[in-house]
Amino acid sequence: MSRVYNFSAGPAVLPEEVLIEAAEEMLDYKGTGMSVMEMSHRSKAFQEIIDTAKADLRDLMAIPEDYEVLFLQGGASQQFAMIPMNLMRNRVADYIVTGQWAKKASEEAKKYGKVNIIASSADKTFSYIPDLRNLPISEEADYVYICENNTIYGTKFKELPDTKGKLLVADVSSCFLSEPVDVKKYGVIYGGVQKNIGPAGTVIVIIRKELITDEVLPGTPTMLKYKTHADAGSLYNTPPAYGIYICGKVFQWLKRQGGLEAMKEYNEKKAKVLYDYLDASRMFCGTVEPKDRSLMNVPFVTGDEELDAKFVREAKAAGFENLKGHRTVGGMRASIYNAMPTQGVEALVAFMKMFEEENL
């Protein structure tokens, strides 16, 4: 069977090169006579896998030495609790709510202290990024929290908020490694890898080392302390070993593509193909304010629910998978992560043009 074009928001498309490499090593990883799925996480072979992955990620993102890289489990959703447990020492935090995941994170944080919603785009179904200038940052806030790319709604922070010296915490799950970032601007930058880096089951946390202490909220479980994992090199318990292995291969793939500057340029060109068509189409239209559009997640609608459903149905039959939009937005959504080839987007646009001609 030939491969489909997979526009899923996550778990999502992975580079074919990586899948082929992993397939070749499935039964025998580098002469060990076993799969990475089978080997001990205490083995020399796995230690080399995790060390190389960490070094390659540091290289790709130019992560400073005063930041720790952790490979954890529980997905981004577990970080919604782990962040306040470890960082909310004054029991106050400011959240900018630009979508469902930031909203869920803020709701979780309310279990541990006072949460101030200092900006939100809920009034227009999260279709824009609110004005980030002169935000009412709380004097006692321990941190300011954002979800940098909103998978469901297709918006992206093009600039970071002025936190007035407060710690910035960012969930970057759906834009991770899609473009260069200045890690020094964040206290914590984290994301689940299943959208743009690897298989579901792994979350990467990049955290300033000075924040990793035993000063956590009373009752914080051992497994939810950053210090537990930092002290053990992400090997306190059995890690998501195979996920880390695939992430490491994706890091090396990204380096072969020319790094994050090259990926940003590639992603901009790729997204432009779809956005230009949406802006010119008489049937389809995007749902996001143009200045806040994501390069990774592109929601669009026809304005007719029955026609939307027909499009998703016929697109699937033509080999375009997972185009149905999230229920809160409706319509369609094309997630065009790093591993989605340009020809996939071009083929989608060609299909959309044909559908438009046949259904107008």
Side-chain angles (χ1 to χ4, degrees):
M1 179 184 171
S2 60
R3 303 247 315 151
V4 296
Y5 287 121
N6 179 13
F7 293 93
S8 172
V13 61
L14 285 166
E16 278 195 28
E17 278 179 44
V18 167
L19 296 176
I20 291 166
E21 277 181 33
E24 289 171 349
E25 294 174 345
M26 179 57 78
L27 296 178
D28 180 9
Y29 175 74
K30 296 191 174 179
T32 60
M34 68 183 95
S35 169
V36 175
M37 280 190 198
E38 303 169 293
M39 68 174 54
S40 168
H41 61 293
R42 305 294 180 200
S43 66
K44 183 181 177 184
F46 187 75
Q47 188 67 55
E48 188 178 300
I49 287 170
I50 194 170
D51 288 347
T52 302
K54 188 180 290 190
D56 284 338
L57 182 61
R58 283 191 172 279
D59 190 25
L60 274 169
M61 294 181 71
I63 298 172
E65 280 303 310
D66 59 337
Y67 283 74
E68 187 62 75
V69 175
L70 304 174
F71 293 96
L72 305 177
Q73 298 176 74
S77 295
Q78 186 161 282
Q79 294 304 308
F80 299 168
M82 206 163 169
I83 285 158
M85 283 178 171
N86 284 266
L87 302 182
M88 203 189 258
R89 291 156 194 169
N90 292 326
R91 302 265 185 169
V92 180
D94 290 351
Y95 279 67
I96 298 173
V97 177
T98 50
Q100 182 164 308
W101 301 115
K103 183 179 178 183
K104 285 189 174 185
S106 70
E107 292 296 327
E108 191 72 11
K110 287 176 184 175
K111 296 176 180 177
Y112 306 100
K114 183 183 178 186
V115 169
N116 303 303
I117 308 300
I118 57 170
S120 172
S121 52
D123 60 325
K124 294 183 180 176
T125 323
F126 302 118
S127 59
Y128 70 101
I129 298 295
D131 190 344
L132 301 174
R133 295 168 298 180
N134 203 27
L135 291 165
I137 306 291
S138 314
E139 278 188 33
E140 65 273 33
D142 291 297
Y143 59 87
V144 177
Y145 183 102
I146 64 172
C147 180
E148 203 162 311
N149 188 92
N150 297 286
T151 320
I152 293 172
Y153 303 97
T155 58
K156 169 74 164 66
F157 283 72
K158 300 298 171 68
E159 57 186 49
L160 297 175
D162 177 4
T163 62
K164 299 177 183 175
K166 297 294 183 183
L167 202 67
L168 179 63
V169 175
D171 175 353
V172 297
S173 295
S174 53
C175 60
F176 221 157
L177 302 184
S178 64
E179 60 183 22
V181 297
D182 184 354
V183 175
K184 295 189 296 296
K185 291 183 177 178
Y186 305 82
V188 179
I189 182 169
Y190 79 91
V193 306
Q194 74 277 6
K195 297 172 183 296
N196 212 27
I197 304 173
T202 306
V203 61
I204 296 171
V205 175
I206 301 161
I207 178 171
R208 200 176 294 154
K209 287 180 179 177
E210 66 183 26
L211 301 174
I212 303 171
T213 72
D214 281 319
E215 291 179 50
V216 297
L217 296 189
T220 297
T222 301
M223 278 291 290
L224 297 185
K225 295 178 182 178
Y226 289 127
K227 193 171 190 305
T228 297
H229 300 285
D231 287 351
S234 297
L235 295 170
Y236 174 75
N237 67 325
T238 308
Y242 199 79
I244 294 166
Y245 159 73
I246 297 291
C247 288
K249 287 201 172 295
V250 171
F251 300 155
Q252 290 174 0
W253 177 81
L254 284 166
K255 291 173 89 168
R256 292 196 298 271
Q257 307 314 302
L260 301 190
E261 287 284 357
M263 287 314 301
K264 182 184 182 186
E265 186 179 336
Y266 174 69
N267 287 324
E268 285 173 343
K269 286 179 181 175
K270 185 170 58 176
K272 188 175 188 297
V273 173
L274 183 50
Y275 283 126
D276 281 356
Y277 169 66
L278 290 173
D279 289 342
S281 173
R282 291 176 296 152
M283 175 180 284
F284 299 99
C285 63
T287 60
V288 171
E289 288 194 12
K291 67 179 177 61
D292 298 323
R293 285 171 166 171
S294 166
L295 296 179
M296 299 284 100
N297 311 101
V298 185
F300 55 96
V301 296
T302 65
D304 180 325
E305 287 187 13
E306 287 186 12
L307 197 58
D308 288 349
K310 182 183 181 186
F311 174 80
V312 171
R313 198 165 54 245
E314 293 187 6
K316 180 179 175 66
F320 302 98
E321 287 281 350
N322 297 305
L323 281 167
K324 186 176 181 180
H326 192 271
R327 62 186 177 278
T328 56
V329 180
M332 287 69 67
R333 172 182 53 181
S335 292
I336 51 175
Y337 298 123
N338 285 344
M340 171 58 67
T342 301
Q343 56 264 41
V345 178
E346 290 170 344
L348 174 62
V349 167
F351 179 80
M352 291 169 73
K353 286 178 178 175
M354 184 179 71
F355 185 88
E356 181 173 342
E357 287 170 10
E358 291 174 355
N359 291 276
L360 263 181

